[in-house]
C-alpha cells in the first residue's frame, strides 16, 4: 500500500511513519500550541483540516492523504524528514 502511493519514495515514507508514530495508526499527540498530530502519519489537524479524524486514524485513507501531502509539499512537511532520509535504508 505505501509503495503504491509513494512510488520510488516509499522507503523514505516508511521511515517517516516509523519516526512519527512508531508505525502506530492510533498515535495521538497534542502539541504545545493545542493542535493534534493524528495517526500513522501524524497528520496535523490545524495544517490539514481537510483530513478528517476518521481518515487520519485509518491506515489506507491516511496513507493516501500523506502521499498527496508529500507530493504537493515534499518531505519537509514532517519534522522527522531529515532523520527519515538518513535512516531509510535501515527500515
Amino acid at each position: 500500500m505505501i509503495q503504491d502511493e509513494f512510488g520510488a519514495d516509499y522507503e523514505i515514507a516508511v521511515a517517516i511513519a516509523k519516526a512519527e508514530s512508531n508505525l502506530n495508526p492510533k498515535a495521538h499527540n497534542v502539541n504545545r500550541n493545542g493542535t493534534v498530530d493524528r495517526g500513522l502519519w501524524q497528520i496535523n489537524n490545524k495544517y490539514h483540516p481537510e483530513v478528517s479524524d476518521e481518515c487520519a486514524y485509518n491506515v489506507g485513507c491516511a496513507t493516501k492523504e500523506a502521499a498527496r501531502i508529500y507530493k504537493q509539499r515534499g518531505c519537509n512537511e514532517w519534522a522527522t524528514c531529515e532523520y527519515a532520509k538518513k535512516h531509510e535504508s535501515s527500515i
Side-chain angles (χ1 to χ4, degrees):
M1 174 187 300
I2 293 173
Q3 188 169 7
D4 292 340
E5 295 297 334
F6 283 86
D9 290 336
Y10 81 95
E11 288 184 346
I12 291 173
V14 171
I16 290 170
K18 188 172 182 181
E20 289 284 336
S21 69
N22 201 27
L23 303 177
N24 178 0
K26 296 185 186 300
H28 180 91
N29 180 51
V30 179
N31 299 301
R32 285 184 229 150
N33 65 0
T35 63
V36 180
D37 296 333
R38 307 162 295 161
L40 179 68
W41 301 98
Q42 293 291 276
I43 298 172
N44 186 276
N45 69 330
K46 177 182 177 183
Y47 299 107
H48 297 287
E50 74 281 8
V51 180
S52 68
D53 285 346
E54 182 180 355
C55 179
Y57 293 108
N58 175 288
V59 173
C61 186
T63 298
K64 286 181 183 183
E65 289 296 319
R68 176 187 60 78
I69 293 164
Y70 183 89
K71 290 171 186 169
Q72 289 177 348
R73 300 185 181 191
C75 181
N76 290 319
E77 193 71 6
W78 288 270
T80 58
C81 174
E82 290 305 315
Y83 175 86
K85 285 180 180 179
K86 291 176 186 171
H87 295 88
E88 68 180 288
S89 62
S90 65
I91 58 170

